[in-house]
């Protein structure tokens, strides 16, 4: 009996450590979001990018702890501390930490689309709503306590449940499609389009942009591999599929983007976003193709968004996370099939339906939340504040304070 108890305790401890390490890796990805945005926006908006990401993370932590995680999984932490450990040495606590990192990705993704002209506190409030209500409700329908209803519907129609191993759709597509209404309601930055003509605003710092991409890429292996949840369920296939999809994205962006460093570094992210859903099902070559296609979608999708549709989505989060996240959900239904070397057990019809459901849910929530905020407190800086930059207008200090010393 003692040996059995020791074995159980060791297994529980291993799972807690496993998921905690994954949580830390995904937490580090938020530094990647920050540097990706800081490297893209102009110098006068760099402080704002850093503060937004950290504030959104902090607010999401509290919102998901008190409201979001209980909605998604039916587990409340409003009990004595001794009860929180339970018989699993606090596994539910680190599970909350890990899944919080997914939830907090939503406002971090949106931040890149609305950069340089959004008010600070209205966006913090929007992020809190998404982390506490919007995201957890959909999470509960796919992964959580209410999954039986929607997943049962998908299975009855398509023959299998909707499969999203690490969140191509639940996290990334959701974030990208939530961002689109915000970008549309905000409108373009001053000077971005003049009399119908596009005037691209160059990125401010390629090394920072590249650093953000690298941090995100490294942390993504925690995002995908540790989605197993338990040490005995870890999959080397997930790790290698993530690697091959990332590389496929880089190489495709190198060609399609004609050596453009912004496209190359975002190409890595495009591949990783797309492979999340089917990383446990695909053959590595299928993952490579999935990532390559995702990267091409981003290169041309970003150009169409910016130049033809004239949508001023600063970091291109709608094509990168929204459209490519949706592609990832559908790709799992294609490259997960045994005919293409996949593990099987997945339905293209179910993947398509689940992806469409996420898009509609996100768009509805995005237009409601940002529409109400726009009509009440307002979501855009004044022309004078935008011209001065969010750093000085909101935070009263620039990224390079010595530049203002005389």
């Amino acid at each position: 009996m003692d040996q059995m108890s020791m074995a159980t305790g060791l297994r529980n401890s291993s799972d807690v450590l496993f998921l905690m390490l994954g949580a830390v890796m995904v937490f580090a990805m938020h530094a990647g979001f920050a540097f990706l945005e800081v490297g893209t926006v102009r110098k006068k908006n760099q402080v704002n990018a850093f503060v937004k990401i950290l504030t959104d993370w902090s607010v999401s932590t509290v919102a998901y702890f008190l409201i979001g995680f209980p909605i998604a999984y039916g587990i409340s932490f409003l009990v004595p501390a001794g009860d929180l450990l339970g018989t699993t040495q606090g596994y539910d606590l680190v599970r909350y930490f890990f899944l919080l990192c997914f939830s907090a990705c939503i406002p971090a993704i949106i931040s890149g689309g609305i950069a340089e002209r959004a008010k600070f506190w209205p966006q913090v409030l929007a992020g809190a709503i998404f982390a506490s209500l919007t995201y957890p409700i959909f999470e509960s329908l796919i992964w959580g306590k209410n999954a039986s209803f929607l997943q049962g519907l998908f299975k009855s129609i398509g023959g299998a449940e909707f499969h999203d191993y690490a969140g191509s759709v639940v996290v990334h597509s959701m974030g990208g499609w939530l961002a689109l209404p915000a970008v549309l309601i905000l409108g373009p930055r001053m000077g971005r389009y003049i009399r119908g003509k596009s005037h691209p605003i160059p990125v401010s710092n390629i090394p920072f942009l590249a650093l953000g991409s690298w941090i995100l890429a490294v942390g993504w292996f925690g995002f995908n591999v540790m989605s197993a949840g338990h040490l005995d369920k870890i999959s080397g296939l997930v790790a290698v599929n993530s690697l091959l999809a990332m590389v496929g994205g880089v190489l495709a962006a190198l060609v399609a983007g004609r050596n453009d460093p912004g496209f190359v570094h975002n190409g890595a992210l495009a591949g990783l976003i797309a492979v999340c859903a089917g990383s446990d099902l695909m053959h590595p070559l299928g993952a490579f193709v999935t990532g390559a296609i995702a990267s091409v979608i981003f290169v041309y999708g970003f150009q169409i968004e910016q130049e033809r549709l004239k949508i001023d989505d600063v970091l291109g989060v709608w094509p990168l996370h929204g459209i490519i996240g949706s592609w990832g959900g559908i790709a799992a239904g294609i490259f997960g099939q045994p005919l293409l070397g996949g593990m099987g057990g997945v339905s293209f019809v179910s993947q398509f339906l689940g992806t469409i459901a996420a898009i509609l849910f996100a768009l509805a929530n995005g237009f409601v939340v940002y529409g109400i905020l726009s009509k009440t407190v307002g979501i855009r800086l004044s022309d004078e504040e935008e011209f001065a930059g969010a750093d000085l207008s909101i935070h009263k200090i620039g990224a390079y304070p010595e530049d203002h010393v005389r």
Side-chain angles (χ1 to χ4, degrees):
M1 184 66 178
D2 288 341
Q3 288 183 337
M4 184 176 295
S5 298
M6 288 177 62
T8 300
L10 182 61
R11 183 172 63 252
N12 290 336
S13 298
S14 299
D15 286 341
V16 168
L17 178 61
F18 173 73
L19 206 53
M20 190 276 290
L21 293 174
V24 170
M25 291 180 71
V26 186
F27 173 38
M29 291 174 67
H30 289 264
F33 281 119
F35 275 99
L36 196 71
E37 182 173 336
V38 167
T40 304
V41 300
R42 288 166 288 185
K43 288 181 180 180
K44 62 182 180 179
N45 297 296
Q46 290 179 335
V47 170
N48 181 245
F50 278 128
V51 177
K52 270 193 305 179
I53 297 294
L54 185 57
T55 303
D56 283 337
W57 163 266
S58 301
V59 171
S60 295
T61 298
V62 178
Y64 195 68
F65 183 87
L66 294 175
I67 305 172
F69 190 76
I71 286 176
Y73 300 99
I75 299 171
S76 173
F77 298 123
L78 301 181
V79 297
D83 295 340
L84 293 176
L85 289 175
T87 60
T88 59
Q89 285 148 279
Y91 178 80
D92 282 336
L93 288 170
V94 293
R95 185 169 177 238
Y96 148 76
F97 183 10
F98 182 73
L99 292 171
L100 156 69
C101 298
F102 285 42
S103 176
C105 283
I106 303 298
I109 289 168
I110 296 170
S111 176
I114 64 175
E116 301 202 297
R117 76 275 202 203
K119 287 184 176 180
F120 184 79
W121 288 111
Q123 174 52 27
V124 171
L125 176 58
I129 293 170
F130 297 144
S132 62
L133 295 173
T134 300
Y135 173 79
I137 288 172
F138 193 76
E139 181 183 20
S140 76
L141 294 171
I142 303 300
W143 293 336
K145 66 177 184 178
N146 298 314
S148 59
F149 169 71
L150 192 58
Q151 291 286 25
L153 181 63
F154 292 144
K155 188 173 183 178
S156 67
I157 298 173
E161 293 184 349
F162 175 70
H163 186 87
D164 192 4
Y165 184 73
S168 287
V169 174
V170 176
V171 180
H172 295 283
S173 179
M174 181 68 60
W177 286 97
L178 280 169
L180 180 60
V183 172
L184 292 175
I185 292 172
L186 270 173
R189 290 167 290 175
M190 294 173 60
R192 180 63 182 87
Y193 303 104
I194 301 175
R195 291 187 290 276
K197 186 177 180 181
S198 174
H199 295 268
I201 299 173
V203 302
S204 63
N205 193 309
I206 294 294
F208 274 0
L209 186 156
L211 177 63
S213 175
W214 275 104
I215 294 172
L216 283 164
V218 172
W220 223 294
F221 289 88
F223 199 99
N224 286 2
V225 176
M226 269 69 163
S227 286
H230 298 272
L231 186 60
D232 62 351
K233 295 181 180 178
I234 192 169
S235 168
L237 182 65
V238 173
V240 173
N241 280 345
S242 301
L243 175 65
L244 266 292
M246 180 192 77
V247 171
V250 170
L251 296 178
L254 191 66
V255 176
R258 300 181 181 180
N259 299 336
D260 181 279
F263 284 136
V264 170
H265 286 91
N266 277 288
L269 307 182
L272 286 162
I273 289 166
V275 81
C276 287
S279 56
D280 62 326
L281 297 175
M282 298 177 182
H283 186 278
L285 292 179
F288 180 88
V289 174
T290 296
I293 293 173
S295 191
V296 172
I297 291 173
F298 176 68
V299 171
Y300 291 104
F302 182 79
Q303 294 171 345
I304 292 171
E305 177 192 40
Q306 300 284 325
E307 303 305 325
R308 294 188 185 179
L309 300 179
K310 292 183 171 54
I311 297 174
D312 188 18
D313 174 1
V314 181
L315 267 67
V317 299
W318 175 45
L320 182 61
H321 294 274
I323 296 175
I324 290 172
S326 300
W327 157 243
I330 293 170
I334 299 172
F335 293 100
Q337 301 293 343
L339 182 64
L340 296 175
M343 300 280 286
V346 65
S347 160
F348 175 82
V349 172
S350 296
Q351 294 304 114
F352 180 79
L353 292 176
T355 300
I356 295 300
I359 293 172
L360 296 176
F361 184 79
L363 284 175
N365 277 267
F367 276 113
V368 168
V369 170
Y370 285 110
I372 292 174
L373 288 174
S374 178
K375 296 296 184 182
T376 54
V377 296
I379 60 174
R380 179 157 184 157
L381 296 173
S382 68
D383 289 350
E384 293 78 9
E385 290 170 330
E386 184 179 343
F387 182 78
D391 292 359
L392 295 179
S393 298
I394 297 172
H395 309 286
K396 312 307 178 186
I397 191 170
Y400 306 93
E402 71 276 12
D403 290 349
H404 303 287
V405 176
R406 294 290 183 266

